[in-house]
Amino acid sequence: MIGMWETSAHLQSFPRAIVHVDGDAFFASCETALHPELRGRVVVTGRERGIVSSLSYVAKARGIRRGMILSEVKKICPDAVILTSDYETYSLFSKRMFSIMRRFTSQVEEYGIDEGFADITGMRGPLHMSYEDIARAMKKAVDEELGFTVSVGLAPTKSLAKIASKWQKPNGFTSVPGRAIRGYLSTLDVSNIWGVGPNTAKYMYSLGITTAHDFISKPFEYIAANFSKPHQEMWYELNGESVWPINTEEKTSYASISKTKTFTPPSGNVEYILAQLIRNLENACIKARRHGLVARKIVVYLRTQQFGDAAIEAKITRASNFPHDLIPHVRTLFKNVFKHGVQYRATGIVLADLQSDSSVQSSLFEPIIKMEKMQRVYAAVDSLDEQYGKHTVHLGGSQATFTQTQYAGDRTRETERQKIKLLGETERQHLYIPRMMITV
DNA sequence: TCTGGGGTCCTAGGACCC
DNA sequence: TCTGGGGTCCTAGGACCC
């Protein structure tokens, strides 16, 4: 009870109860939930890219791995079901998952399509349940209503909750109360900490820090002297003191939009590479228009065979999301990075410094008629794309990238009906029905 | 260790100004 | 013109995440 008289600064550092919910083989699970006949089979998504993007646990048991080439998948498992990714459907399942989590607290962070955090601190009273019971109830509701399992971690911080949810997978539930932290971290290699990538892991090894326990056992002065801010925060998190807040803001806007395309075999052909770049630009602009955003900065980058990117950026005098406005910039930037005789394996476009298109006033010097024309043209392009598929109408500049007739979907009407039946009212309104693509 | 595409955040260093 | 300190803004690049 002494805590009740502490200052507000102390109140904020009261131990929190954070839940991390992580979908098990999320994309493959969504497919299986939608098509029960796939249950127990080797299910793999990523057909459109030629590599495994998500895989069922059955597939994992048979030796399939993420990133594996699909031809290899067929060799190992001739019976594998290989599907095209269907992000619209996955995000509907995702929305459902978060809305179920919100029944227990409003403090929910949609961290990724298949995972999220919930801060249930202070909810024991209102819900008449212990923290563990709340977290278990959350898991149960999600499992039942989604039609597949998630793994759940409960801990005093986000960082520890993430470790907890990964502890036992799939269909796991792991609680790491303050007292148990050291036990869990003593066998955990630093490379498995959220926020530690290959580089930081190597650096930590060089300091003789191999486990998460080694890391949290160092005095903070040592951490402050040897690590930058994010890792100093990580030290607090792993010690059970929550410093990373739950971000409940809905992700409506982007800081940047990028489009990259890798081509095989690599190429040194100027026209071809520029065409790839323009196609990326078209794609990025489509996305920007869909979100009502205009770019004030554009980045062009070329990726060579021996890794390492050559990137260059430019400011845009009049913010735009129309390829017509941006192509001159792209051409100039391209000329500055492109080197003859070099083989490139990918190109990329980044639209950055985004702002809402409603906040852009047409410049006094810009003929208004021309701007309105452009808006009408792209409104028509977007609606055609919406009806018949992406790139139904595309710029001549990207022609060189269209080598064969392409199809947007291999799904049947029956599948669509299945979807509609399974999903709730709100989700139905967001439903996107793919059609065959036509090339004009 | 990479496969591949879409993101965010932090830091160091340079330019410029007072 | 140099000397020096300090702040801000921008850019490039690194690192990590899913």
Side-chain angles (χ1 to χ4, degrees):
Chain A
M1 279 325 257
I2 285 168
M4 298 296 279
W5 285 273
E6 302 267 305
T7 64
S8 60
H10 276 94
L11 282 177
Q12 279 173 1
S13 63
F14 260 36
R16 311 201 72 79
I18 310 287
V19 183
H20 182 245
V21 176
D22 196 277
D24 297 326
F26 195 75
F27 295 176
S29 296
C30 289
E31 296 289 355
T32 308
L34 226 38
H35 309 279
E37 70 276 12
L38 297 181
R39 202 167 291 278
R41 296 195 57 180
V42 174
V43 178
V44 156
T45 71
R47 189 186 197 101
E48 72 286 357
R49 287 195 281 153
I51 57 161
V52 177
S53 154
S54 169
L55 62 157
S56 64
Y57 278 86
V58 180
K60 211 167 277 180
R62 296 269 299 271
I64 312 292
R65 294 286 170 266
R66 260 194 100 228
M68 201 177 259
I69 313 273
L70 292 180
S71 55
E72 204 175 327
V73 172
K74 278 183 222 153
K75 231 184 283 165
I76 302 172
C77 301
D79 57 324
V81 179
I82 300 171
L83 302 167
T84 304
S85 303
D86 177 7
Y87 290 95
E88 279 82 10
T89 299
Y90 308 153
S91 42
L92 294 180
F93 275 95
S94 178
K95 276 185 187 136
R96 275 210 140 174
M97 183 173 91
F98 294 123
S99 72
I100 295 165
M101 289 167 71
R102 283 200 190 87
R103 287 183 207 152
F104 298 85
T105 172
S106 63
Q107 296 302 297
V108 170
E109 174 173 340
E110 303 184 2
Y111 183 73
I113 192 165
D114 66 338
E115 60 173 297
F117 295 94
D119 186 344
I120 55 172
T121 312
M123 296 309 290
R124 284 178 297 191
L127 296 175
H128 307 293
M129 282 192 267
S130 68
Y131 286 140
E132 183 165 334
D133 287 342
I134 296 171
R136 283 189 189 276
M138 195 183 280
K139 169 169 164 49
K140 186 163 178 272
V142 173
D143 287 349
E144 285 175 0
E145 294 177 44
L146 251 45
F148 57 86
T149 64
V150 293
S151 293
V152 168
L154 168 65
T157 69
K158 288 171 84 172
S159 191
L160 290 166
K162 252 196 107 115
I163 289 168
S165 70
K166 234 199 283 184
W167 202 259
Q168 210 200 325
K169 239 182 170 309
N171 199 14
F173 180 92
T174 305
S175 168
V176 181
R179 287 182 176 283
I181 293 173
R182 290 187 173 265
Y184 278 91
L185 299 194
S186 62
T187 54
L188 190 77
D189 191 277
V190 286
S191 62
N192 293 321
I193 301 172
W194 183 36
V196 176
N199 284 292
T200 310
K202 215 183 287 171
Y203 174 63
M204 286 177 167
Y205 296 150
S206 79
L207 295 175
I209 300 170
T210 40
T211 66
H213 184 265
D214 294 341
F215 182 70
I216 65 165
S217 300
K218 296 281 182 197
F220 183 73
E221 294 69 44
Y222 175 87
I223 301 298
N226 291 284
F227 293 90
S228 61
K229 199 174 138 197
H231 296 125
Q232 294 173 20
E233 292 170 355
M234 203 173 78
W235 183 87
Y236 280 110
E237 283 272 319
L238 293 173
N239 267 300
E241 189 171 333
S242 178
V243 291
W244 292 335
I246 299 289
N247 181 8
T248 56
E249 263 166 58
E250 220 183 306
K251 209 174 126 62
T252 48
S253 198
Y254 294 91
S256 69
I257 290 173
S258 67
K259 288 286 168 187
T260 314
K261 190 86 187 160
T262 303
F263 32 88
T264 34
S267 168
N269 182 300
V270 197
E271 286 83 32
Y272 179 72
I273 295 169
L274 186 57
Q276 288 286 348
L277 216 40
I278 289 175
R279 186 169 177 180
N280 286 150
L281 177 69
E282 282 185 89
N283 284 328
C285 285
I286 288 169
K287 189 166 175 183
R289 290 200 297 275
R290 205 187 315 139
H291 293 276
L293 297 167
V294 286
R296 280 180 297 185
K297 198 168 91 180
I298 187 163
V299 183
V300 162
Y301 64 89
L302 303 179
R303 184 165 295 162
T304 61
Q305 257 185 306
Q306 36 292 1
F307 274 78
D309 292 351
I312 187 167
E313 58 184 67
K315 289 224 155 152
I316 296 153
T317 35
R318 190 166 56 78
S320 172
N321 54 21
F322 301 137
H324 277 90
D325 291 333
L326 304 177
I327 281 177
H329 290 101
V330 171
R331 279 185 200 284
T332 314
L333 294 172
F334 174 73
K335 270 186 207 145
N336 285 320
V337 255
F338 182 80
K339 287 199 178 67
H340 285 278
V342 174
Q343 293 292 104
Y344 294 98
R345 53 190 278 269
T347 67
I349 288 279
V350 182
L351 300 181
D353 271 11
L354 300 175
Q355 64 179 98
S356 162
D357 60 1
S358 57
S359 66
V360 187
Q361 323 118 319
S362 65
S363 131
L364 286 175
F365 309 102
E366 196 71 31
I368 289 174
I369 302 286
K370 193 189 153 205
M371 260 213 43
E372 283 178 349
K373 256 189 197 162
M374 192 80 90
Q375 273 161 5
R376 280 210 302 276
V377 167
Y378 277 101
V381 167
D382 290 341
S383 92
L384 275 170
D385 280 1
E386 205 172 302
Q387 274 185 65
Y388 300 110
K390 223 188 211 178
H391 297 293
T392 298
V393 184
H394 63 84
L395 290 169
S398 62
Q399 179 65 43
T401 66
F402 294 91
T403 48
Q404 49 195 296
T405 321
Q406 299 172 26
Y407 297 96
D410 51 7
R411 286 159 196 287
T412 62
R413 288 275 148 193
E414 191 45 43
T415 311
E416 302 306 330
R417 267 194 285 275
Q418 287 270 350
K419 265 197 229 173
I420 292 168
K421 253 201 299 193
L422 272 151
L423 299 166
E425 188 58 42
T426 19
E427 286 108 34
R428 261 180 241 175
Q429 292 166 9
H430 297 276
L431 196 61
Y432 167 74
I433 300 177
R435 289 168 196 234
M436 200 170 286
M437 180 185 286
I438 55 165
T439 307
V440 176

